Amino acid sequence: MPEGDTVWNTARVLHRALAGARLTGSDFRVPQLAATDLAGWTVRESASRGKHLLLRLDDPGARSWTLHSHLRMDGAWRAYAPGERWSARPAHLIRVVLRSSAAVAVGYHLHELALIPTAEEESLVGHLGPDLLGADWAPDEAVRRLAAHPEQSIGEALLDQRNLAGVGNLYKCEVLFLRGVSPWTPVRAVPDLAGTVALAQRLLAANRGRWTQSTTGVLRRGGTSYVYGRRAQPCRRCGTAIRKEELGERVTYWCPVCQPERE
Ligand SMILES: [Zn+2]
């Protein structure tokens, strides 16, 4: 599931493949950019902000641009060596190809693909709360934003990228299990918001640099989570069957014993 850590890792892959490179060609397979040609442009850097990817480039006139993309549930970028087979996903999912003499970056099933002046980046990511994996991570501000909506369920509040940027459904479920908080708890009744936010940051940060997302410390298949994806399986702490239900627009997983309802 692409969450903040996956997007951070993806930004690093793109940075290693393309930063400093002059592009020799591009191929956009989305209508809004079909006529765009980035040949001769230079890639400055690749960065992530929450779940948004920002590839920053300079055009031949030295103006700064940002190619924005969002992975949502199913998007991905892959870097290949020139001549290597593009094996990650089916070709019909390709939305953009960026070529340099040393690498080819292929974006699959990307969302919100847009090329904008870097000076206007904030129009796409300015609404985001503090980035859990950003150099400017500001936990106090994340807590303040969460606390501003006291009646919202903590399960929905953690997913709202305007509060803090980077938590998706997997980390939401896992953080709340580890804190012993039901996802339906209103924000005002969460015993330690600062501790919850700090734990979310630690869990994401621990998975930087690897593609397996584990909150248990176990990397083998079937052992990577406490509750996420484990409906009807026994809770690793108390043995109760893990439950799965809709919460807002997303499903949530939780242990009814370890995460009692609070008011
Ligand atoms: Zn339990």
PDB file of all heavy atoms in Angstrom, residues 174 177-178 213-243 254-259:
ATOM      1  N   GLU A 174      -2.484   0.138  12.389  1.00  0.00           N
ATOM      2  CA  GLU A 174      -1.420  -0.388  13.231  1.00  0.00           C
ATOM      3  C   GLU A 174      -1.112   0.534  14.414  1.00  0.00           C
ATOM      4  O   GLU A 174      -0.923   0.082  15.540  1.00  0.00           O
ATOM      5  CB  GLU A 174      -0.168  -0.629  12.388  1.00  0.00           C
ATOM      6  CG  GLU A 174      -0.345  -1.687  11.322  1.00  0.00           C
ATOM      7  CD  GLU A 174      -0.555  -3.067  11.918  1.00  0.00           C
ATOM      8  OE1 GLU A 174       0.399  -3.614  12.505  1.00  0.00           O
ATOM      9  OE2 GLU A 174      -1.686  -3.591  11.807  1.00  0.00           O
ATOM     10  N   PHE A 177      -3.863   0.197  17.009  1.00  0.00           N
ATOM     11  CA  PHE A 177      -3.731  -1.051  17.780  1.00  0.00           C
ATOM     12  C   PHE A 177      -2.639  -0.901  18.842  1.00  0.00           C
ATOM     13  O   PHE A 177      -2.839  -1.214  20.016  1.00  0.00           O
ATOM     14  CB  PHE A 177      -3.395  -2.226  16.858  1.00  0.00           C
ATOM     15  CG  PHE A 177      -3.056  -3.472  17.630  1.00  0.00           C
ATOM     16  CD1 PHE A 177      -4.065  -4.266  18.166  1.00  0.00           C
ATOM     17  CD2 PHE A 177      -1.732  -3.830  17.876  1.00  0.00           C
ATOM     18  CE1 PHE A 177      -3.764  -5.402  18.920  1.00  0.00           C
ATOM     19  CE2 PHE A 177      -1.421  -4.954  18.625  1.00  0.00           C
ATOM     20  CZ  PHE A 177      -2.442  -5.746  19.151  1.00  0.00           C
ATOM     21  N   LEU A 178      -1.489  -0.396  18.418  1.00  0.00           N
ATOM     22  CA  LEU A 178      -0.358  -0.296  19.353  1.00  0.00           C
ATOM     23  C   LEU A 178      -0.638   0.672  20.493  1.00  0.00           C
ATOM     24  O   LEU A 178      -0.094   0.527  21.585  1.00  0.00           O
ATOM     25  CB  LEU A 178       0.915   0.104  18.594  1.00  0.00           C
ATOM     26  CG  LEU A 178       1.494  -1.008  17.715  1.00  0.00           C
ATOM     27  CD1 LEU A 178       2.503  -0.438  16.716  1.00  0.00           C
ATOM     28  CD2 LEU A 178       2.141  -2.095  18.574  1.00  0.00           C
ATOM     29  N   GLN A 213       6.552  -3.335   4.168  1.00  0.00           N
ATOM     30  CA  GLN A 213       6.068  -2.465   5.240  1.00  0.00           C
ATOM     31  C   GLN A 213       5.768  -3.328   6.448  1.00  0.00           C
ATOM     32  O   GLN A 213       4.838  -4.128   6.436  1.00  0.00           O
ATOM     33  CB  GLN A 213       4.803  -1.742   4.788  1.00  0.00           C
ATOM     34  CG  GLN A 213       5.068  -0.742   3.678  1.00  0.00           C
ATOM     35  CD  GLN A 213       3.788  -0.169   3.125  1.00  0.00           C
ATOM     36  OE1 GLN A 213       2.903  -0.902   2.711  1.00  0.00           O
ATOM     37  NE2 GLN A 213       3.680   1.143   3.112  1.00  0.00           N
ATOM     38  N   SER A 214       6.559  -3.194   7.496  1.00  0.00           N
ATOM     39  CA  SER A 214       6.355  -3.985   8.709  1.00  0.00           C
ATOM     40  C   SER A 214       6.199  -3.060   9.906  1.00  0.00           C
ATOM     41  O   SER A 214       6.951  -2.105  10.074  1.00  0.00           O
ATOM     42  CB  SER A 214       7.548  -4.916   8.939  1.00  0.00           C
ATOM     43  OG  SER A 214       7.399  -5.552  10.196  1.00  0.00           O
ATOM     44  N   THR A 215       5.214  -3.369  10.728  1.00  0.00           N
ATOM     45  CA  THR A 215       5.068  -2.630  11.986  1.00  0.00           C
ATOM     46  C   THR A 215       5.404  -3.506  13.178  1.00  0.00           C
ATOM     47  O   THR A 215       5.409  -3.051  14.318  1.00  0.00           O
ATOM     48  CB  THR A 215       3.619  -2.128  12.155  1.00  0.00           C
ATOM     49  OG1 THR A 215       2.752  -3.253  12.047  1.00  0.00           O
ATOM     50  CG2 THR A 215       3.271  -1.104  11.097  1.00  0.00           C
ATOM     51  N   THR A 216       5.678  -4.783  12.903  1.00  0.00           N
ATOM     52  CA  THR A 216       5.961  -5.735  13.976  1.00  0.00           C
ATOM     53  C   THR A 216       7.461  -5.988  14.126  1.00  0.00           C
ATOM     54  O   THR A 216       7.889  -6.606  15.101  1.00  0.00           O
ATOM     55  CB  THR A 216       5.301  -7.091  13.663  1.00  0.00           C
ATOM     56  OG1 THR A 216       5.804  -7.531  12.390  1.00  0.00           O
ATOM     57  CG2 THR A 216       3.784  -6.966  13.592  1.00  0.00           C
ATOM     58  N   GLY A 217       8.218  -5.546  13.136  1.00  0.00           N
ATOM     59  CA  GLY A 217       9.639  -5.885  13.109  1.00  0.00           C
ATOM     60  C   GLY A 217       9.899  -7.179  12.359  1.00  0.00           C
ATOM     61  O   GLY A 217      11.036  -7.508  12.050  1.00  0.00           O
ATOM     62  N   VAL A 218       8.835  -7.912  12.043  1.00  0.00           N
ATOM     63  CA  VAL A 218       8.945  -9.175  11.306  1.00  0.00           C
ATOM     64  C   VAL A 218       8.781  -8.885   9.819  1.00  0.00           C
ATOM     65  O   VAL A 218       7.849  -8.182   9.428  1.00  0.00           O
ATOM     66  CB  VAL A 218       7.855 -10.170  11.773  1.00  0.00           C
ATOM     67  CG1 VAL A 218       7.871 -11.433  10.926  1.00  0.00           C
ATOM     68  CG2 VAL A 218       8.050 -10.496  13.245  1.00  0.00           C
ATOM     69  N   LEU A 219       9.676  -9.388   8.997  1.00  0.00           N
ATOM     70  CA  LEU A 219       9.602  -9.095   7.567  1.00  0.00           C
ATOM     71  C   LEU A 219       9.036 -10.244   6.749  1.00  0.00           C
ATOM     72  O   LEU A 219       8.714 -10.075   5.580  1.00  0.00           O
ATOM     73  CB  LEU A 219      10.994  -8.727   7.035  1.00  0.00           C
ATOM     74  CG  LEU A 219      11.589  -7.446   7.635  1.00  0.00           C
ATOM     75  CD1 LEU A 219      12.976  -7.190   7.073  1.00  0.00           C
ATOM     76  CD2 LEU A 219      10.687  -6.243   7.375  1.00  0.00           C
ATOM     77  N   ARG A 220       8.872 -11.426   7.385  1.00  0.00           N
ATOM     78  CA  ARG A 220       8.359 -12.544   6.573  1.00  0.00           C
ATOM     79  C   ARG A 220       6.864 -12.370   6.336  1.00  0.00           C
ATOM     80  O   ARG A 220       6.148 -11.773   7.131  1.00  0.00           O
ATOM     81  CB  ARG A 220       8.669 -13.888   7.242  1.00  0.00           C
ATOM     82  CG  ARG A 220       7.876 -14.142   8.458  1.00  0.00           C
ATOM     83  CD  ARG A 220       8.084 -15.512   9.064  1.00  0.00           C
ATOM     84  NE  ARG A 220       7.760 -15.465  10.477  1.00  0.00           N
ATOM     85  CZ  ARG A 220       6.532 -15.296  10.963  1.00  0.00           C
ATOM     86  NH1 ARG A 220       5.506 -15.188  10.148  1.00  0.00           N
ATOM     87  NH2 ARG A 220       6.317 -15.235  12.269  1.00  0.00           N
ATOM     88  N   ARG A 221       6.440 -12.900   5.193  1.00  0.00           N
ATOM     89  CA  ARG A 221       5.039 -12.799   4.771  1.00  0.00           C
ATOM     90  C   ARG A 221       4.116 -13.317   5.866  1.00  0.00           C
ATOM     91  O   ARG A 221       4.373 -14.362   6.452  1.00  0.00           O
ATOM     92  CB  ARG A 221       4.884 -13.652   3.507  1.00  0.00           C
ATOM     93  CG  ARG A 221       3.716 -13.328   2.644  1.00  0.00           C
ATOM     94  CD  ARG A 221       3.759 -14.268   1.428  1.00  0.00           C
ATOM     95  NE  ARG A 221       2.467 -14.281   0.761  1.00  0.00           N
ATOM     96  CZ  ARG A 221       2.110 -13.379  -0.138  1.00  0.00           C
ATOM     97  NH1 ARG A 221       2.948 -12.433  -0.480  1.00  0.00           N
ATOM     98  NH2 ARG A 221       0.916 -13.430  -0.709  1.00  0.00           N
ATOM     99  N   GLY A 222       3.049 -12.582   6.147  1.00  0.00           N
ATOM    100  CA  GLY A 222       2.095 -13.026   7.159  1.00  0.00           C
ATOM    101  C   GLY A 222       2.436 -12.533   8.556  1.00  0.00           C
ATOM    102  O   GLY A 222       1.647 -12.678   9.481  1.00  0.00           O
ATOM    103  N   GLY A 223       3.634 -11.950   8.718  1.00  0.00           N
ATOM    104  CA  GLY A 223       4.041 -11.521  10.056  1.00  0.00           C
ATOM    105  C   GLY A 223       4.249 -10.023  10.194  1.00  0.00           C
ATOM    106  O   GLY A 223       4.669  -9.549  11.247  1.00  0.00           O
ATOM    107  N   THR A 224       3.925  -9.264   9.137  1.00  0.00           N
ATOM    108  CA  THR A 224       4.358  -7.872   9.092  1.00  0.00           C
ATOM    109  C   THR A 224       3.418  -6.898   9.799  1.00  0.00           C
ATOM    110  O   THR A 224       3.776  -5.745   9.994  1.00  0.00           O
ATOM    111  CB  THR A 224       4.497  -7.394   7.630  1.00  0.00           C
ATOM    112  OG1 THR A 224       3.252  -7.643   6.956  1.00  0.00           O
ATOM    113  CG2 THR A 224       5.612  -8.153   6.918  1.00  0.00           C
ATOM    114  N   SER A 225       2.191  -7.345  10.152  1.00  0.00           N
ATOM    115  CA  SER A 225       1.252  -6.413  10.786  1.00  0.00           C
ATOM    116  C   SER A 225       0.589  -7.043  12.000  1.00  0.00           C
ATOM    117  O   SER A 225       0.534  -8.269  12.132  1.00  0.00           O
ATOM    118  CB  SER A 225       0.181  -5.974   9.782  1.00  0.00           C
ATOM    119  OG  SER A 225      -0.681  -7.058   9.494  1.00  0.00           O
ATOM    120  N   TYR A 226       0.043  -6.176  12.876  1.00  0.00           N
ATOM    121  CA  TYR A 226      -0.722  -6.652  14.032  1.00  0.00           C
ATOM    122  C   TYR A 226      -2.180  -6.884  13.667  1.00  0.00           C
ATOM    123  O   TYR A 226      -2.752  -7.912  14.012  1.00  0.00           O
ATOM    124  CB  TYR A 226      -0.630  -5.639  15.173  1.00  0.00           C
ATOM    125  CG  TYR A 226       0.731  -5.613  15.817  1.00  0.00           C
ATOM    126  CD1 TYR A 226       1.639  -4.598  15.514  1.00  0.00           C
ATOM    127  CD2 TYR A 226       1.108  -6.610  16.707  1.00  0.00           C
ATOM    128  CE1 TYR A 226       2.895  -4.576  16.097  1.00  0.00           C
ATOM    129  CE2 TYR A 226       2.367  -6.587  17.294  1.00  0.00           C
ATOM    130  CZ  TYR A 226       3.250  -5.572  16.980  1.00  0.00           C
ATOM    131  OH  TYR A 226       4.497  -5.550  17.546  1.00  0.00           O
ATOM    132  N   VAL A 227      -2.783  -5.933  12.970  1.00  0.00           N
ATOM    133  CA  VAL A 227      -4.214  -6.056  12.648  1.00  0.00           C
ATOM    134  C   VAL A 227      -4.509  -5.873  11.159  1.00  0.00           C
ATOM    135  O   VAL A 227      -5.430  -6.500  10.637  1.00  0.00           O
ATOM    136  CB  VAL A 227      -5.072  -5.057  13.472  1.00  0.00           C
ATOM    137  CG1 VAL A 227      -5.054  -5.429  14.943  1.00  0.00           C
ATOM    138  CG2 VAL A 227      -4.620  -3.614  13.259  1.00  0.00           C
ATOM    139  N   TYR A 228      -3.757  -5.019  10.466  1.00  0.00           N
ATOM    140  CA  TYR A 228      -4.068  -4.710   9.077  1.00  0.00           C
ATOM    141  C   TYR A 228      -4.034  -5.972   8.212  1.00  0.00           C
ATOM    142  O   TYR A 228      -3.058  -6.722   8.232  1.00  0.00           O
ATOM    143  CB  TYR A 228      -3.097  -3.672   8.504  1.00  0.00           C
ATOM    144  CG  TYR A 228      -3.476  -3.242   7.109  1.00  0.00           C
ATOM    145  CD1 TYR A 228      -4.439  -2.276   6.908  1.00  0.00           C
ATOM    146  CD2 TYR A 228      -2.897  -3.845   6.002  1.00  0.00           C
ATOM    147  CE1 TYR A 228      -4.824  -1.897   5.635  1.00  0.00           C
ATOM    148  CE2 TYR A 228      -3.272  -3.477   4.715  1.00  0.00           C
ATOM    149  CZ  TYR A 228      -4.238  -2.504   4.545  1.00  0.00           C
ATOM    150  OH  TYR A 228      -4.617  -2.155   3.271  1.00  0.00           O
ATOM    151  N   GLY A 229      -5.125  -6.208   7.473  1.00  0.00           N
ATOM    152  CA  GLY A 229      -5.181  -7.369   6.581  1.00  0.00           C
ATOM    153  C   GLY A 229      -5.361  -8.690   7.304  1.00  0.00           C
ATOM    154  O   GLY A 229      -5.195  -9.754   6.702  1.00  0.00           O
ATOM    155  N   ARG A 230      -5.717  -8.653   8.616  1.00  0.00           N
ATOM    156  CA  ARG A 230      -5.753  -9.897   9.388  1.00  0.00           C
ATOM    157  C   ARG A 230      -7.158 -10.228   9.898  1.00  0.00           C
ATOM    158  O   ARG A 230      -7.313 -10.836  10.947  1.00  0.00           O
ATOM    159  CB  ARG A 230      -4.768  -9.804  10.571  1.00  0.00           C
ATOM    160  CG  ARG A 230      -3.315  -9.637  10.131  1.00  0.00           C
ATOM    161  CD  ARG A 230      -2.350  -9.857  11.284  1.00  0.00           C
ATOM    162  NE  ARG A 230      -2.408 -11.231  11.748  1.00  0.00           N
ATOM    163  CZ  ARG A 230      -2.766 -11.597  12.981  1.00  0.00           C
ATOM    164  NH1 ARG A 230      -3.127 -10.692  13.872  1.00  0.00           N
ATOM    165  NH2 ARG A 230      -2.794 -12.860  13.325  1.00  0.00           N
ATOM    166  N   ARG A 231      -8.192  -9.873   9.148  1.00  0.00           N
ATOM    167  CA  ARG A 231      -9.564 -10.127   9.578  1.00  0.00           C
ATOM    168  C   ARG A 231      -9.759 -11.595   9.971  1.00  0.00           C
ATOM    169  O   ARG A 231      -9.338 -12.495   9.248  1.00  0.00           O
ATOM    170  CB  ARG A 231     -10.554  -9.797   8.458  1.00  0.00           C
ATOM    171  CG  ARG A 231     -11.999  -9.958   8.873  1.00  0.00           C
ATOM    172  CD  ARG A 231     -12.915  -9.391   7.818  1.00  0.00           C
ATOM    173  NE  ARG A 231     -12.910 -10.208   6.609  1.00  0.00           N
ATOM    174  CZ  ARG A 231     -13.832 -11.140   6.342  1.00  0.00           C
ATOM    175  NH1 ARG A 231     -14.827 -11.338   7.175  1.00  0.00           N
ATOM    176  NH2 ARG A 231     -13.749 -11.826   5.235  1.00  0.00           N
ATOM    177  N   ALA A 232     -10.360 -11.802  11.149  1.00  0.00           N
ATOM    178  CA  ALA A 232     -10.727 -13.125  11.680  1.00  0.00           C
ATOM    179  C   ALA A 232      -9.517 -13.930  12.169  1.00  0.00           C
ATOM    180  O   ALA A 232      -9.677 -15.020  12.705  1.00  0.00           O
ATOM    181  CB  ALA A 232     -11.534 -13.932  10.671  1.00  0.00           C
ATOM    182  N   GLN A 233      -8.330 -13.387  11.985  1.00  0.00           N
ATOM    183  CA  GLN A 233      -7.160 -14.081  12.545  1.00  0.00           C
ATOM    184  C   GLN A 233      -6.987 -13.663  14.009  1.00  0.00           C
ATOM    185  O   GLN A 233      -7.427 -12.600  14.418  1.00  0.00           O
ATOM    186  CB  GLN A 233      -5.910 -13.739  11.736  1.00  0.00           C
ATOM    187  CG  GLN A 233      -5.984 -14.248  10.293  1.00  0.00           C
ATOM    188  CD  GLN A 233      -4.735 -13.892   9.509  1.00  0.00           C
ATOM    189  OE1 GLN A 233      -3.619 -14.072   9.990  1.00  0.00           O
ATOM    190  NE2 GLN A 233      -4.926 -13.358   8.314  1.00  0.00           N
ATOM    191  N   PRO A 234      -6.331 -14.504  14.823  1.00  0.00           N
ATOM    192  CA  PRO A 234      -6.212 -14.168  16.240  1.00  0.00           C
ATOM    193  C   PRO A 234      -5.288 -12.972  16.482  1.00  0.00           C
ATOM    194  O   PRO A 234      -4.217 -12.876  15.887  1.00  0.00           O
ATOM    195  CB  PRO A 234      -5.630 -15.445  16.867  1.00  0.00           C
ATOM    196  CG  PRO A 234      -5.035 -16.208  15.744  1.00  0.00           C
ATOM    197  CD  PRO A 234      -5.767 -15.828  14.499  1.00  0.00           C
ATOM    198  N   CYS A 235      -5.722 -12.096  17.384  1.00  0.00           N
ATOM    199  CA  CYS A 235      -4.890 -10.974  17.800  1.00  0.00           C
ATOM    200  C   CYS A 235      -3.569 -11.513  18.337  1.00  0.00           C
ATOM    201  O   CYS A 235      -3.538 -12.483  19.089  1.00  0.00           O
ATOM    202  CB  CYS A 235      -5.619 -10.193  18.894  1.00  0.00           C
ATOM    203  SG  CYS A 235      -4.613  -8.916  19.675  1.00  0.00           S
ATOM    204  N   ARG A 236      -2.464 -10.869  17.952  1.00  0.00           N
ATOM    205  CA  ARG A 236      -1.150 -11.362  18.387  1.00  0.00           C
ATOM    206  C   ARG A 236      -0.944 -11.149  19.886  1.00  0.00           C
ATOM    207  O   ARG A 236      -0.033 -11.718  20.475  1.00  0.00           O
ATOM    208  CB  ARG A 236      -0.041 -10.650  17.609  1.00  0.00           C
ATOM    209  CG  ARG A 236      -0.098 -10.911  16.104  1.00  0.00           C
ATOM    210  CD  ARG A 236       1.168 -10.421  15.419  1.00  0.00           C
ATOM    211  NE  ARG A 236       0.995 -10.305  13.962  1.00  0.00           N
ATOM    212  CZ  ARG A 236       1.048 -11.317  13.102  1.00  0.00           C
ATOM    213  NH1 ARG A 236       1.261 -12.542  13.545  1.00  0.00           N
ATOM    214  NH2 ARG A 236       0.880 -11.112  11.811  1.00  0.00           N
ATOM    215  N   ARG A 237      -1.779 -10.294  20.502  1.00  0.00           N
ATOM    216  CA  ARG A 237      -1.646 -10.049  21.929  1.00  0.00           C
ATOM    217  C   ARG A 237      -2.597 -10.897  22.750  1.00  0.00           C
ATOM    218  O   ARG A 237      -2.206 -11.495  23.744  1.00  0.00           O
ATOM    219  CB  ARG A 237      -1.945  -8.581  22.214  1.00  0.00           C
ATOM    220  CG  ARG A 237      -0.764  -7.841  22.747  1.00  0.00           C
ATOM    221  CD  ARG A 237      -1.138  -6.402  23.023  1.00  0.00           C
ATOM    222  NE  ARG A 237       0.000  -5.547  22.757  1.00  0.00           N
ATOM    223  CZ  ARG A 237      -0.088  -4.256  22.555  1.00  0.00           C
ATOM    224  NH1 ARG A 237      -1.273  -3.659  22.560  1.00  0.00           N
ATOM    225  NH2 ARG A 237       0.989  -3.556  22.335  1.00  0.00           N
ATOM    226  N   CYS A 238      -3.901 -10.916  22.366  1.00  0.00           N
ATOM    227  CA  CYS A 238      -4.909 -11.523  23.239  1.00  0.00           C
ATOM    228  C   CYS A 238      -5.636 -12.695  22.603  1.00  0.00           C
ATOM    229  O   CYS A 238      -6.429 -13.364  23.274  1.00  0.00           O
ATOM    230  CB  CYS A 238      -5.920 -10.469  23.691  1.00  0.00           C
ATOM    231  SG  CYS A 238      -7.070 -10.005  22.387  1.00  0.00           S
ATOM    232  N   GLY A 239      -5.429 -12.954  21.337  1.00  0.00           N
ATOM    233  CA  GLY A 239      -6.038 -14.115  20.699  1.00  0.00           C
ATOM    234  C   GLY A 239      -7.435 -13.888  20.145  1.00  0.00           C
ATOM    235  O   GLY A 239      -7.970 -14.734  19.424  1.00  0.00           O
ATOM    236  N   THR A 240      -8.046 -12.746  20.463  1.00  0.00           N
ATOM    237  CA  THR A 240      -9.385 -12.428  19.931  1.00  0.00           C
ATOM    238  C   THR A 240      -9.321 -12.262  18.407  1.00  0.00           C
ATOM    239  O   THR A 240      -8.316 -11.784  17.880  1.00  0.00           O
ATOM    240  CB  THR A 240      -9.880 -11.102  20.568  1.00  0.00           C
ATOM    241  OG1 THR A 240      -9.862 -11.246  21.983  1.00  0.00           O
ATOM    242  CG2 THR A 240     -11.279 -10.754  20.101  1.00  0.00           C
ATOM    243  N   ALA A 241     -10.417 -12.651  17.742  1.00  0.00           N
ATOM    244  CA  ALA A 241     -10.444 -12.504  16.281  1.00  0.00           C
ATOM    245  C   ALA A 241     -10.392 -11.021  15.894  1.00  0.00           C
ATOM    246  O   ALA A 241     -11.169 -10.212  16.411  1.00  0.00           O
ATOM    247  CB  ALA A 241     -11.713 -13.146  15.723  1.00  0.00           C
ATOM    248  N   ILE A 242      -9.492 -10.681  14.987  1.00  0.00           N
ATOM    249  CA  ILE A 242      -9.382  -9.311  14.491  1.00  0.00           C
ATOM    250  C   ILE A 242     -10.611  -8.995  13.647  1.00  0.00           C
ATOM    251  O   ILE A 242     -11.069  -9.828  12.869  1.00  0.00           O
ATOM    252  CB  ILE A 242      -8.104  -9.142  13.631  1.00  0.00           C
ATOM    253  CG1 ILE A 242      -6.852  -9.402  14.473  1.00  0.00           C
ATOM    254  CG2 ILE A 242      -8.059  -7.749  12.984  1.00  0.00           C
ATOM    255  CD1 ILE A 242      -6.689  -8.476  15.655  1.00  0.00           C
ATOM    256  N   ARG A 243     -11.146  -7.791  13.814  1.00  0.00           N
ATOM    257  CA  ARG A 243     -12.341  -7.402  13.077  1.00  0.00           C
ATOM    258  C   ARG A 243     -12.022  -6.408  11.975  1.00  0.00           C
ATOM    259  O   ARG A 243     -10.996  -5.726  12.002  1.00  0.00           O
ATOM    260  CB  ARG A 243     -13.380  -6.817  14.044  1.00  0.00           C
ATOM    261  CG  ARG A 243     -13.845  -7.907  15.002  1.00  0.00           C
ATOM    262  CD  ARG A 243     -14.825  -7.418  16.006  1.00  0.00           C
ATOM    263  NE  ARG A 243     -16.022  -6.867  15.381  1.00  0.00           N
ATOM    264  CZ  ARG A 243     -17.005  -6.310  16.080  1.00  0.00           C
ATOM    265  NH1 ARG A 243     -16.922  -6.215  17.392  1.00  0.00           N
ATOM    266  NH2 ARG A 243     -18.071  -5.832  15.460  1.00  0.00           N
ATOM    267  N   TRP A 254      -9.250  -3.893  13.552  1.00  0.00           N
ATOM    268  CA  TRP A 254      -8.912  -3.623  14.944  1.00  0.00           C
ATOM    269  C   TRP A 254      -9.221  -4.828  15.812  1.00  0.00           C
ATOM    270  O   TRP A 254      -9.948  -5.747  15.401  1.00  0.00           O
ATOM    271  CB  TRP A 254      -9.642  -2.377  15.436  1.00  0.00           C
ATOM    272  CG  TRP A 254     -11.048  -2.575  15.924  1.00  0.00           C
ATOM    273  CD1 TRP A 254     -11.473  -2.554  17.223  1.00  0.00           C
ATOM    274  CD2 TRP A 254     -12.216  -2.832  15.140  1.00  0.00           C
ATOM    275  NE1 TRP A 254     -12.814  -2.773  17.290  1.00  0.00           N
ATOM    276  CE2 TRP A 254     -13.298  -2.956  16.035  1.00  0.00           C
ATOM    277  CE3 TRP A 254     -12.445  -2.996  13.775  1.00  0.00           C
ATOM    278  CZ2 TRP A 254     -14.596  -3.226  15.603  1.00  0.00           C
ATOM    279  CZ3 TRP A 254     -13.731  -3.261  13.347  1.00  0.00           C
ATOM    280  CH2 TRP A 254     -14.788  -3.367  14.247  1.00  0.00           C
ATOM    281  N   CYS A 255      -8.675  -4.832  17.020  1.00  0.00           N
ATOM    282  CA  CYS A 255      -8.967  -5.871  18.004  1.00  0.00           C
ATOM    283  C   CYS A 255      -9.942  -5.281  19.022  1.00  0.00           C
ATOM    284  O   CYS A 255      -9.605  -4.315  19.707  1.00  0.00           O
ATOM    285  CB  CYS A 255      -7.693  -6.330  18.715  1.00  0.00           C
ATOM    286  SG  CYS A 255      -8.091  -7.424  20.113  1.00  0.00           S
ATOM    287  N   PRO A 256     -11.149  -5.846  19.135  1.00  0.00           N
ATOM    288  CA  PRO A 256     -12.156  -5.258  20.021  1.00  0.00           C
ATOM    289  C   PRO A 256     -11.773  -5.337  21.502  1.00  0.00           C
ATOM    290  O   PRO A 256     -12.296  -4.571  22.307  1.00  0.00           O
ATOM    291  CB  PRO A 256     -13.410  -6.084  19.726  1.00  0.00           C
ATOM    292  CG  PRO A 256     -12.927  -7.347  19.104  1.00  0.00           C
ATOM    293  CD  PRO A 256     -11.646  -7.022  18.404  1.00  0.00           C
ATOM    294  N   VAL A 257     -10.854  -6.211  21.853  1.00  0.00           N
ATOM    295  CA  VAL A 257     -10.451  -6.334  23.259  1.00  0.00           C
ATOM    296  C   VAL A 257      -9.290  -5.383  23.573  1.00  0.00           C
ATOM    297  O   VAL A 257      -9.329  -4.636  24.546  1.00  0.00           O
ATOM    298  CB  VAL A 257     -10.068  -7.787  23.599  1.00  0.00           C
ATOM    299  CG1 VAL A 257      -9.482  -7.876  24.993  1.00  0.00           C
ATOM    300  CG2 VAL A 257     -11.288  -8.683  23.455  1.00  0.00           C
ATOM    301  N   CYS A 258      -8.267  -5.386  22.718  1.00  0.00           N
ATOM    302  CA  CYS A 258      -7.103  -4.531  22.956  1.00  0.00           C
ATOM    303  C   CYS A 258      -7.397  -3.053  22.670  1.00  0.00           C
ATOM    304  O   CYS A 258      -6.664  -2.179  23.128  1.00  0.00           O
ATOM    305  CB  CYS A 258      -5.925  -4.976  22.101  1.00  0.00           C
ATOM    306  SG  CYS A 258      -5.299  -6.611  22.519  1.00  0.00           S
ATOM    307  N   GLN A 259      -8.455  -2.790  21.897  1.00  0.00           N
ATOM    308  CA  GLN A 259      -8.790  -1.413  21.526  1.00  0.00           C
ATOM    309  C   GLN A 259     -10.235  -1.109  21.921  1.00  0.00           C
ATOM    310  O   GLN A 259     -11.104  -0.965  21.065  1.00  0.00           O
ATOM    311  CB  GLN A 259      -8.606  -1.212  20.010  1.00  0.00           C
ATOM    312  CG  GLN A 259      -7.166  -1.417  19.547  1.00  0.00           C
ATOM    313  CD  GLN A 259      -7.074  -1.509  18.027  1.00  0.00           C
ATOM    314  OE1 GLN A 259      -6.980  -2.590  17.463  1.00  0.00           O
ATOM    315  NE2 GLN A 259      -7.105  -0.365  17.367  1.00  0.00           N
TER     316      GLN A 259
END
